[in-house]
Amino acid sequence: MSGLDPLLRAHALAATGFMPPEEGDALYAAAAAAALAVPGLPLLEVGSYCGRSTVWLGGAARAGGTVLFAVDHHRGSEENQAGWEHHDPTVVDPRTGKMDTLPRFRDTIHDAGLEDVVFAVVGQSAAVAAHWASPLAFLFIDGGHGDEPARLDYEGWTPHVAPGGTLAIHDVFPDPADGGRPPYEQIYRPAVDSGRFELVGVTGSLRVLRRVG
Ligand code: SAH
Ligand code: MG
């Protein structure tokens, strides 16, 4: 795997968001490999924000001859709201007073030239998951980081990962001193403990697991 095209990588790095470059590169490698390992099936991201991680994954979809669905309600997670640590006032819609990252997401995907392979699905993750039917070559979970949204993402999305496919989880912190618990406790641990997934890669807070069986 030769890595994301340098031009696309520059677009990813220019985008607002929370994906560190080396974790983005690991995400790309895992997604591109999964697209080849399970051909013909789409990739899916939960939690796109302004499209930063989405560019690495969209590049992987293109390299693997498939597409990426990018699921987000674009209203921000709890920690993105006004008064919280990760709030950015430039992504508030003045008409509604609510966060709206969809315009920024669209700009990112447009400018990166990925509109032919990246499809936004705008809505509540759990509701979309409940109506999702296609098996997935690759699933990236980086949505709501509270206990309830993380648990719902685990329950709603991980059954869609095809055998031989890959599950990647962001912001997994086994040591509580390093960060919030839910991605570790509600997604990573249950996935490994279920016996359905085995750990194949660690880069920063990114965990890459392969669906066994
Ligand atoms: N992957 C992005 C960061 C995602 S931030 C990056 O690397 O830059 C988390 C995102 O999850 C936010 O955009 C928020 O709107 C979305 N989100 C949180 N809870 C959600 C839910 N229940 N349904 C849909 N999207 C959700
Ligand atoms: Mg994250």
Side-chain angles (χ1 to χ4, degrees):
M1 221 56 63
S2 50
L4 181 63
D5 171 87
L7 217 83
L8 274 183
R9 194 170 186 273
H11 279 285
L13 297 178
T16 302
F18 307 104
M19 183 54 59
E22 61 286 1
E23 294 175 44
D25 291 340
L27 191 64
Y28 173 87
L36 296 180
V38 196
L41 296 184
L43 322 181
L44 189 141
E45 168 178 75
V46 180
S48 303
Y49 196 62
C50 299
R52 185 178 169 95
S53 52
T54 320
V55 174
W56 272 283
L57 292 176
R62 175 169 290 156
T66 186
V67 298
L68 170 73
F69 292 96
V71 179
D72 198 310
H73 53 35
H74 287 284
R75 295 301 186 195
S77 301
E78 192 179 37
E79 65 272 19
N80 305 134
Q81 305 304 321
W84 289 70
E85 185 189 352
H86 295 290
H87 181 62
D88 175 353
T90 70
V91 291
V92 174
D93 176 353
R95 197 187 68 84
T96 58
K98 292 180 179 175
M99 280 190 63
D100 183 4
T101 49
L102 184 56
R104 290 277 276 274
F105 173 88
R106 254 173 107 62
D107 287 347
T108 301
I109 300 309
H110 171 268
D111 294 355
L114 287 169
E115 287 186 333
D116 58 330
V117 289
V118 175
F119 311 139
V121 180
V122 182
Q124 274 286 348
S125 176
V128 177
H131 294 274
W132 194 261
S134 173
L136 302 170
F138 184 88
L139 168 65
F140 176 50
I141 302 182
D142 193 21
H145 285 4
D147 274 309
E148 182 74 354
R151 187 180 62 77
L152 291 174
D153 280 340
Y154 173 75
E155 288 178 359
W157 286 111
T158 63
H160 295 295
V161 179
T166 298
L167 165 66
I169 312 161
H170 200 226
D171 302 305
V172 173
F173 300 111
D175 183 344
D178 296 332
R181 306 305 288 148
Y184 175 76
E185 287 177 349
Q186 306 293 340
I187 309 173
Y188 174 76
R189 281 277 23 127
V192 172
D193 294 345
S194 72
R196 294 185 300 138
F197 295 93
E198 63 185 18
L199 181 66
V200 294
V202 176
T203 306
S205 74
L206 181 72
R207 296 293 179 279
V208 177
L209 296 83
R210 184 159 307 129
R211 173 85 159 88
V212 294

